[in-house]
Amino acid sequence: MTRVLLTGFEPFGGEAVNPSWQAASLVAAAPPDGLDVTAVRLPCAFGDALDALRDAVARTRPELVVCLGQAGGRAGVTVERVAINVDDARIPDNAGAQPIDVPVVPGGPAAYFSTLPVKACVAAMREAGVPAALSNTAGTFVCNHVAYGLGHLLATEFPGVRGGFVHVPWAPEQVVDGGAPALPAEVVASGVRALLLAAASTRVDLVATEGATH
């Protein structure tokens, strides 16, 4: 059994739900064969989210960590390639903090690349019938904060553990007028299960075109 830590976030920005936590809960309740999945909900707050993440990693001792977050407006599940060392919040977090141009880790590297096989993960989700893509930006809010913090944590305290960040679209109940893309939590969970299996079994990523021109 491969031990997996799967995180999602509490709701933020006035929303009643967060699809990242909906999906994480569903996957942990019915994990893929061969994976022992523990789901942990992180606070949507700078600093506190990284404290909770570190505690979860130390407690569960996973071999693989995948953090999920909400990306409203995206049409599919997007695997993040890179996280950058900056917090620049357009809105306050759930604790009222709104850092502007502050490093996630003072003195840390400019960026961390995911140690997941990101293209294999995208391919696995598409094969499972779930809309998926590779993303080259995790934003500058708490999602990027956690993505970068995870990279730093694994590089400095838990070598050998692999991990990365994945964004999921809004849930249908968040898009009442139908004017933006949305995916049911069950569909997202199906994609995440496929992603986890690919991440657990793939050490050398695919060579495939997933780049962007802008």
Side-chain angles (χ1 to χ4, degrees):
M1 298 287 283
T2 299
R3 296 185 307 278
V4 178
L5 173 62
L6 183 64
T7 73
F9 281 105
E10 66 183 0
F12 71 97
E15 298 283 353
V17 299
N18 191 313
S20 68
W21 178 241
Q22 290 178 318
S25 299
L26 288 171
V27 173
D33 291 342
L35 303 186
D36 179 10
V37 180
T38 300
V40 172
R41 191 171 85 157
L42 302 180
C44 188
F46 293 99
D48 292 346
L50 293 187
D51 291 340
L53 176 62
R54 189 192 184 285
D55 288 346
V57 173
R59 183 177 72 254
T60 62
R61 293 290 170 174
E63 298 163 79
L64 188 67
V65 183
V66 175
C67 298
L68 305 179
Q70 172 186 300
R74 294 190 185 181
V77 181
T78 48
V79 183
E80 299 298 341
R81 192 199 304 253
V82 63
I84 59 174
N85 192 14
V86 64
D87 293 331
D88 191 5
R90 182 177 56 82
I91 61 173
D93 67 11
N94 283 358
Q98 192 173 4
I100 297 174
D101 298 338
V102 175
V104 180
V105 177
Y112 280 107
F113 283 98
S114 174
T115 53
L116 302 177
V118 292
K119 293 184 177 181
C121 289
V122 169
M125 288 192 287
R126 288 176 180 163
E127 187 173 346
V130 178
L134 185 64
S135 169
N136 294 303
T137 176
T140 56
F141 195 51
V142 184
C143 285
N144 177 78
H145 182 81
V146 165
Y148 183 91
L150 172 64
H152 190 73
L153 181 68
L154 300 187
T156 59
E157 297 187 46
F158 297 94
V161 179
R162 297 182 298 135
F165 197 93
V166 178
H167 267 121
V168 306
W170 274 321
E173 59 264 39
Q174 295 175 284
V175 187
V176 293
D177 61 359
L183 282 179
E186 294 80 3
V187 174
V188 175
S190 177
V192 172
R193 291 188 186 98
L195 178 152
L196 293 179
L197 285 171
S201 62
T202 305
R203 292 287 175 167
V204 179
D205 203 3
L206 299 179
V207 177
T209 301
E210 293 290 346
T213 58
H214 57 81

